[in-house]
């Protein structure tokens, strides 16, 4: 256990070096004994926030400050704040439209502004790492996990908008994490539940999946998150990318020339937890080339993973040089993002307070501009504007999947509810997040449950669904 503030990664003992390679989650809106133990005894490198930890901006600022006070080395405070449906914090900050809406708007500068302004709000409450943007190419209609989280089906467009987003986050002082390498867009399975496979050859992968990541590397992305997906073209032994040295070191480091931090997706997802297991998965990920290991939920798994990596180093399975290489990358990125003073004179002060009204107003204006630009008429433009005297049917997608990792989605405001607030005779039928063979019913269906009124300053811009 370290009792003084470290000034260099070389001052850390083996246990603390290994701890710096882990980002862990916890339950509660205040530091719990469990997370305090991981910080104090193991010197973990960071924490990850979910909705279970967050109420509003002021509470998050207080939580971030309390956690930093516990740490000898400043912590990563990470969050999935992609925008749209994938957000953890929305009270006191601006929920930006999601990647697909930004893709529909098609304006690179709006992608940049959305990320920069969202990043500024996150930084104001002590969050210094955003697990975004998503650089997966949405080219498989059966994909159950990416969908609207992608900028679109065109690799070049995904690359352009994704690079602008990561630059926006980084310009705000927040570390950006491009995900999910080498690409989770063309899968028909969800790695939260099972282990997907992308069977394409190298030429196709180069042209589609890898193109956005090459652009992100060229743009100087801080970190890249791995996918729990098998790519036989690069890994013939059916090992998921997160655990594959051929992919993390051979492809990402050596072939693509990436020098930044590699972050694993959460090892508690079933693709890892129910196959190789979390503890062994952590060993294989670090051995393969990962620098930060994400274990988001259970303390027993977090402790087992930390101890397994420690034992693997003592046994010679993981060379000490691999640990030093990883912790140095993590430390240098903490310096670059202002967590640690580059002079080596100690820890940087942590400024944590709710974003001011001027910052929020500018962010909300950006969100409105994107929402307006994103409206897309696929067909039937001759029927617009809608007839207030007629009847309008809204077919509304209702995501229903919930796991320990993916939080429950609650839709407070739907398009039909917003139209009703504006005086239209709108009715709604809802469909689930999976495809159905049956056609929609010929007559209008009632909603599965009542929707709330959308009376707010942004009523006409249709707030995005929320992830809880």
């Amino acid at each position: 256990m370290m009792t003084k503030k470290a000034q260099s990664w070389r001052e850390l003992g083996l246990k603390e070096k290994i701890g710096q390679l882990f980002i862990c989650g916890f339950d509660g809106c205040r530091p719990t004994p469990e997370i305090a133990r991981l910080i104090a005894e193991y010197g973990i490198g960071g924490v990850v926030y979910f909705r279970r930890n967050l109420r509003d901006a002021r509470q998050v600022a207080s939580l971030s400050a309390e956690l930093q006070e516990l740490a000898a080395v400043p912590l990563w405070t990470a969050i999935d704040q992609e925008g749209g449906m994938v957000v953890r914090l929305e009270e006191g900050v601006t929920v930006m439209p999601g990647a697909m809406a930004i893709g529909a708007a098609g304006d690179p500068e709006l992608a940049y502004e959305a990320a920069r302004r969202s990043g500024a709000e996150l930084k104001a409450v002590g969050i210094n790492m955003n697990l975004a943007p998503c650089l997966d190419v949405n080219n498989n209609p059966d994909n159950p996990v990416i969908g609207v989280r992608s900028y679109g089906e065109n690799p070049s467009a995904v690359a352009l908008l994704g690079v602008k987003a990561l630059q926006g986050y980084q310009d705000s002082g927040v570390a950006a994490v491009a995900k999910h390498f080498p690409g989770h867009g063309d899968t028909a399975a969800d790695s939260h539940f099972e282990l997907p496979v992308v069977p394409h050859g190298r030429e196709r992968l180069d042209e589609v999946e890898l193109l956005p990541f090459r652009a992100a590397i060229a743009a100087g992305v801080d970190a890249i998150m791995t996918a729990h997906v098998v790519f036989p073209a690069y890994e013939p032994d059916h090992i998921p990318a997160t655990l594959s040295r051929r992919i993390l070191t051979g492809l990402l480091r050596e072939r693509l020339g990436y020098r930044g931090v590699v972050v694993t997706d959460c090892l508690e997802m079933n693709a890892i937890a129910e196959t190789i297991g979390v503890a062994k998965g952590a060993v294989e990920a670090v051995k393969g080339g990962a620098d930060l290991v994400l274990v988001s939920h259970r303390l027993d798994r977090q402790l087992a993973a930390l101890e397994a990596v420690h034992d693997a180093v003592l046994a010679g399975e993981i060379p000490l040089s691999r640990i030093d290489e990883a912790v140095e990358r993590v430390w240098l990125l903490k310096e670059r993002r202002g967590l640690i003073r580059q002079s080596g004179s100690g820890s940087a002060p942590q400024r944590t307070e709710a974003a001011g009204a001027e910052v929020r107003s500018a962010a909300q204006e950006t969100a409105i501009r994107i929402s307006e630009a994103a409206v897309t008429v696929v067909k039937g433009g001759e029927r617009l504007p809608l007839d207030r005297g007629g009847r309008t049917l809204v077919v509304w997608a209702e995501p229903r999947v919930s796991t320990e990792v993916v939080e429950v989605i609650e839709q407070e405001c739907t398009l039909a509810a917003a139209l009703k607030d504006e005086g239209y005779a709108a009715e709604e039928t809802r469909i689930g997040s999976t495809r159905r063979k049956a056609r929609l019913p010929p007559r209008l269906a009632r909603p599965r449950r009542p929707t709330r009124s959308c009376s707010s300053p942004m009523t006409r811009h249709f707030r995005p669904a929320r992830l809880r």
Side-chain angles (χ1 to χ4, degrees), residues 278-293:
V278 174
K280 182 62 174 173
V283 171
E284 293 301 314
V286 173
K287 189 162 61 174
D291 305 307
L292 279 173
V293 176

PDB file of all heavy atoms in Angstrom, residues 278-293:
ATOM      1  N   VAL A 278     -12.831 -14.305 -16.084  1.00  0.00           N
ATOM      2  CA  VAL A 278     -12.332 -12.942 -15.912  1.00  0.00           C
ATOM      3  C   VAL A 278     -10.863 -12.929 -15.506  1.00  0.00           C
ATOM      4  O   VAL A 278     -10.054 -12.170 -16.059  1.00  0.00           O
ATOM      5  CB  VAL A 278     -13.189 -12.179 -14.880  1.00  0.00           C
ATOM      6  CG1 VAL A 278     -12.591 -10.800 -14.592  1.00  0.00           C
ATOM      7  CG2 VAL A 278     -14.630 -12.035 -15.375  1.00  0.00           C
ATOM      8  N   ALA A 279     -10.476 -13.750 -14.530  1.00  0.00           N
ATOM      9  CA  ALA A 279      -9.098 -13.729 -14.034  1.00  0.00           C
ATOM     10  C   ALA A 279      -8.108 -14.159 -15.109  1.00  0.00           C
ATOM     11  O   ALA A 279      -7.116 -13.470 -15.374  1.00  0.00           O
ATOM     12  CB  ALA A 279      -8.977 -14.627 -12.810  1.00  0.00           C
ATOM     13  N   LYS A 280      -8.373 -15.269 -15.761  1.00  0.00           N
ATOM     14  CA  LYS A 280      -7.487 -15.733 -16.830  1.00  0.00           C
ATOM     15  C   LYS A 280      -7.549 -14.774 -18.013  1.00  0.00           C
ATOM     16  O   LYS A 280      -6.536 -14.532 -18.692  1.00  0.00           O
ATOM     17  CB  LYS A 280      -7.891 -17.140 -17.267  1.00  0.00           C
ATOM     18  CG  LYS A 280      -6.987 -17.740 -18.351  1.00  0.00           C
ATOM     19  CD  LYS A 280      -5.550 -17.893 -17.886  1.00  0.00           C
ATOM     20  CE  LYS A 280      -4.706 -18.625 -18.918  1.00  0.00           C
ATOM     21  NZ  LYS A 280      -3.264 -18.646 -18.551  1.00  0.00           N
ATOM     22  N   GLY A 281      -8.712 -14.211 -18.253  1.00  0.00           N
ATOM     23  CA  GLY A 281      -8.847 -13.236 -19.318  1.00  0.00           C
ATOM     24  C   GLY A 281      -7.960 -12.024 -19.092  1.00  0.00           C
ATOM     25  O   GLY A 281      -7.354 -11.491 -20.027  1.00  0.00           O
ATOM     26  N   ALA A 282      -7.873 -11.554 -17.839  1.00  0.00           N
ATOM     27  CA  ALA A 282      -7.006 -10.419 -17.522  1.00  0.00           C
ATOM     28  C   ALA A 282      -5.553 -10.752 -17.812  1.00  0.00           C
ATOM     29  O   ALA A 282      -4.809  -9.937 -18.369  1.00  0.00           O
ATOM     30  CB  ALA A 282      -7.182 -10.016 -16.064  1.00  0.00           C
ATOM     31  N   VAL A 283      -5.129 -11.958 -17.451  1.00  0.00           N
ATOM     32  CA  VAL A 283      -3.754 -12.384 -17.715  1.00  0.00           C
ATOM     33  C   VAL A 283      -3.482 -12.392 -19.215  1.00  0.00           C
ATOM     34  O   VAL A 283      -2.469 -11.855 -19.688  1.00  0.00           O
ATOM     35  CB  VAL A 283      -3.494 -13.779 -17.107  1.00  0.00           C
ATOM     36  CG1 VAL A 283      -2.139 -14.330 -17.565  1.00  0.00           C
ATOM     37  CG2 VAL A 283      -3.547 -13.714 -15.586  1.00  0.00           C
ATOM     38  N   GLU A 284      -4.378 -12.985 -19.983  1.00  0.00           N
ATOM     39  CA  GLU A 284      -4.171 -13.100 -21.422  1.00  0.00           C
ATOM     40  C   GLU A 284      -4.224 -11.733 -22.105  1.00  0.00           C
ATOM     41  O   GLU A 284      -3.483 -11.481 -23.064  1.00  0.00           O
ATOM     42  CB  GLU A 284      -5.212 -14.040 -22.032  1.00  0.00           C
ATOM     43  CG  GLU A 284      -5.069 -15.487 -21.585  1.00  0.00           C
ATOM     44  CD  GLU A 284      -3.694 -16.072 -21.929  1.00  0.00           C
ATOM     45  OE1 GLU A 284      -3.236 -15.870 -23.070  1.00  0.00           O
ATOM     46  OE2 GLU A 284      -3.090 -16.715 -21.056  1.00  0.00           O
ATOM     47  N   ALA A 285      -5.091 -10.847 -21.613  1.00  0.00           N
ATOM     48  CA  ALA A 285      -5.187  -9.515 -22.210  1.00  0.00           C
ATOM     49  C   ALA A 285      -3.892  -8.733 -22.006  1.00  0.00           C
ATOM     50  O   ALA A 285      -3.363  -8.121 -22.942  1.00  0.00           O
ATOM     51  CB  ALA A 285      -6.363  -8.755 -21.613  1.00  0.00           C
ATOM     52  N   VAL A 286      -3.378  -8.737 -20.777  1.00  0.00           N
ATOM     53  CA  VAL A 286      -2.121  -8.026 -20.504  1.00  0.00           C
ATOM     54  C   VAL A 286      -0.973  -8.663 -21.268  1.00  0.00           C
ATOM     55  O   VAL A 286      -0.149  -7.974 -21.875  1.00  0.00           O
ATOM     56  CB  VAL A 286      -1.839  -7.995 -18.990  1.00  0.00           C
ATOM     57  CG1 VAL A 286      -0.448  -7.414 -18.719  1.00  0.00           C
ATOM     58  CG2 VAL A 286      -2.900  -7.182 -18.258  1.00  0.00           C
ATOM     59  N   LYS A 287      -0.938  -9.961 -21.278  1.00  0.00           N
ATOM     60  CA  LYS A 287       0.118 -10.676 -21.999  1.00  0.00           C
ATOM     61  C   LYS A 287       0.056 -10.366 -23.491  1.00  0.00           C
ATOM     62  O   LYS A 287       1.088 -10.237 -24.166  1.00  0.00           O
ATOM     63  CB  LYS A 287      -0.030 -12.184 -21.745  1.00  0.00           C
ATOM     64  CG  LYS A 287       1.129 -13.010 -22.250  1.00  0.00           C
ATOM     65  CD  LYS A 287       1.155 -14.400 -21.589  1.00  0.00           C
ATOM     66  CE  LYS A 287      -0.079 -15.205 -21.876  1.00  0.00           C
ATOM     67  NZ  LYS A 287       0.016 -16.593 -21.366  1.00  0.00           N
ATOM     68  N   GLY A 288      -1.156 -10.203 -24.016  1.00  0.00           N
ATOM     69  CA  GLY A 288      -1.330  -9.957 -25.440  1.00  0.00           C
ATOM     70  C   GLY A 288      -1.021  -8.540 -25.871  1.00  0.00           C
ATOM     71  O   GLY A 288      -0.789  -8.293 -27.049  1.00  0.00           O
ATOM     72  N   GLY A 289      -1.044  -7.583 -24.908  1.00  0.00           N
ATOM     73  CA  GLY A 289      -0.722  -6.212 -25.279  1.00  0.00           C
ATOM     74  C   GLY A 289      -1.647  -5.147 -24.731  1.00  0.00           C
ATOM     75  O   GLY A 289      -1.456  -3.968 -25.019  1.00  0.00           O
ATOM     76  N   ALA A 290      -2.652  -5.507 -23.932  1.00  0.00           N
ATOM     77  CA  ALA A 290      -3.544  -4.511 -23.337  1.00  0.00           C
ATOM     78  C   ALA A 290      -2.820  -3.772 -22.217  1.00  0.00           C
ATOM     79  O   ALA A 290      -2.030  -4.348 -21.477  1.00  0.00           O
ATOM     80  CB  ALA A 290      -4.807  -5.178 -22.805  1.00  0.00           C
ATOM     81  N   ASP A 291      -3.123  -2.481 -22.086  1.00  0.00           N
ATOM     82  CA  ASP A 291      -2.511  -1.646 -21.052  1.00  0.00           C
ATOM     83  C   ASP A 291      -3.453  -1.344 -19.901  1.00  0.00           C
ATOM     84  O   ASP A 291      -3.012  -1.108 -18.783  1.00  0.00           O
ATOM     85  CB  ASP A 291      -2.045  -0.323 -21.660  1.00  0.00           C
ATOM     86  CG  ASP A 291      -1.109  -0.520 -22.834  1.00  0.00           C
ATOM     87  OD1 ASP A 291      -0.114  -1.239 -22.674  1.00  0.00           O
ATOM     88  OD2 ASP A 291      -1.387   0.043 -23.912  1.00  0.00           O
ATOM     89  N   LEU A 292      -4.747  -1.309 -20.178  1.00  0.00           N
ATOM     90  CA  LEU A 292      -5.756  -1.082 -19.151  1.00  0.00           C
ATOM     91  C   LEU A 292      -6.818  -2.177 -19.253  1.00  0.00           C
ATOM     92  O   LEU A 292      -7.313  -2.449 -20.348  1.00  0.00           O
ATOM     93  CB  LEU A 292      -6.425   0.287 -19.321  1.00  0.00           C
ATOM     94  CG  LEU A 292      -5.679   1.507 -18.776  1.00  0.00           C
ATOM     95  CD1 LEU A 292      -6.401   2.785 -19.186  1.00  0.00           C
ATOM     96  CD2 LEU A 292      -5.543   1.440 -17.262  1.00  0.00           C
ATOM     97  N   VAL A 293      -7.144  -2.774 -18.121  1.00  0.00           N
ATOM     98  CA  VAL A 293      -8.112  -3.869 -18.054  1.00  0.00           C
ATOM     99  C   VAL A 293      -9.351  -3.367 -17.329  1.00  0.00           C
ATOM    100  O   VAL A 293      -9.260  -2.841 -16.220  1.00  0.00           O
ATOM    101  CB  VAL A 293      -7.515  -5.087 -17.318  1.00  0.00           C
ATOM    102  CG1 VAL A 293      -8.565  -6.185 -17.173  1.00  0.00           C
ATOM    103  CG2 VAL A 293      -6.291  -5.611 -18.062  1.00  0.00           C
TER     104      VAL A 293
END
